[in-house]
């Protein structure tokens, strides 16, 4: 922990430290919310009618939400939801149908966070690079 922040587990330092991993999962949501609130406060002050968002993500080839990150809690600090959709089509761990199902599920998950439509901010129809 440096400067009041919990540093993420990193291959450059320590990945197997269970205490560090637990701290990261316990504090990453609140740390992210603090960042969002601090960044949006001046914008809301001068442009209160302009909505704010940030790019949510789902990771790994299965398109799972990140474990330990409370998307519902973060959503309360945003005006609408947006996310970056990068399905790993043609991966070796699942069929195209399974990945398509998971992409649909994560779309529904992000829509459910505010019970309204959402934006896909970034997307790729095939493998990136």
């Amino acid at each position: 922990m440096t400067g009041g922040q919990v540093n993420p587990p990193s291959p450059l330092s320590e990945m197997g430290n269970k205490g560090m991993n637990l701290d990261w999962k316990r504090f990453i949501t609140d740390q992210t919310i603090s960042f969002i609130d601090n960044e949006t406060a001046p914008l809301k002050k001068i442009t209160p009618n302009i909505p704010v968002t940030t790019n949510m993500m789902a990771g790994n080839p299965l398109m799972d939400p990140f474990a330990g990150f409370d998307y519902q809690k973060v959503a309360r600090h945003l005006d609408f939801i947006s996310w970056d959709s990068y399905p790993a089509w043609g991966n070796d761990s699942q069929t195209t149908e399974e990945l398509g199902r998971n992409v649909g599920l994560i779309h529904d998950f992000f829509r459910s966070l505010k019970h309204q439509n959402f934006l896909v901010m970034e997307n790729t129809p095939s493998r990136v690079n």
Side-chain angles (χ1 to χ4, degrees), residues 46-60:
I46 60 173
T47 56
N49 297 325
I50 296 178
V52 296
T53 191
T54 190
N55 295 29
M56 301 273 196
M57 299 184 82
N60 71 45

Side-chain angles (χ1 to χ4, degrees), residues 53-74:
T53 191
T54 190
N55 295 29
M56 301 273 196
M57 299 184 82
N60 71 45
L62 301 177
M63 300 298 293
D64 291 334
F66 294 122
F69 189 76
D70 189 341
Y71 290 87
Q72 287 92 354
K73 192 173 180 182
V74 172

Side-chain angles (χ1 to χ4, degrees), residues 8-104:
S10 165
L12 300 176
S13 61
E14 183 65 58
M15 292 291 289
N17 183 320
K18 302 297 184 201
M20 179 185 282
N21 293 334
L22 178 62
D23 276 350
W24 177 252
K25 288 181 178 179
R26 285 178 55 210
F27 296 110
I28 186 58
T29 298
D30 291 331
Q31 189 170 310
T32 301
I33 289 169
S34 175
F35 179 81
I36 290 169
D37 289 347
N38 284 317
E39 290 289 311
T40 60
L43 299 173
K44 289 287 190 179
K45 188 174 184 178
I46 60 173
T47 56
N49 297 325
I50 296 178
V52 296
T53 191
T54 190
N55 295 29
M56 301 273 196
M57 299 184 82
N60 71 45
L62 301 177
M63 300 298 293
D64 291 334
F66 294 122
F69 189 76
D70 189 341
Y71 290 87
Q72 287 92 354
K73 192 173 180 182
V74 172
R76 292 191 291 262
H77 296 261
L78 302 171
D79 295 313
F80 65 95
I81 301 300
S82 60
W83 83 286
D84 297 345
S85 176
Y86 289 105
W89 301 109
N91 71 69
D92 295 331
S93 61
Q94 62 193 161
T95 66
T96 299
E97 292 80 14
E98 290 169 330
L99 178 59
R101 180 196 64 220
N102 289 348
V103 171

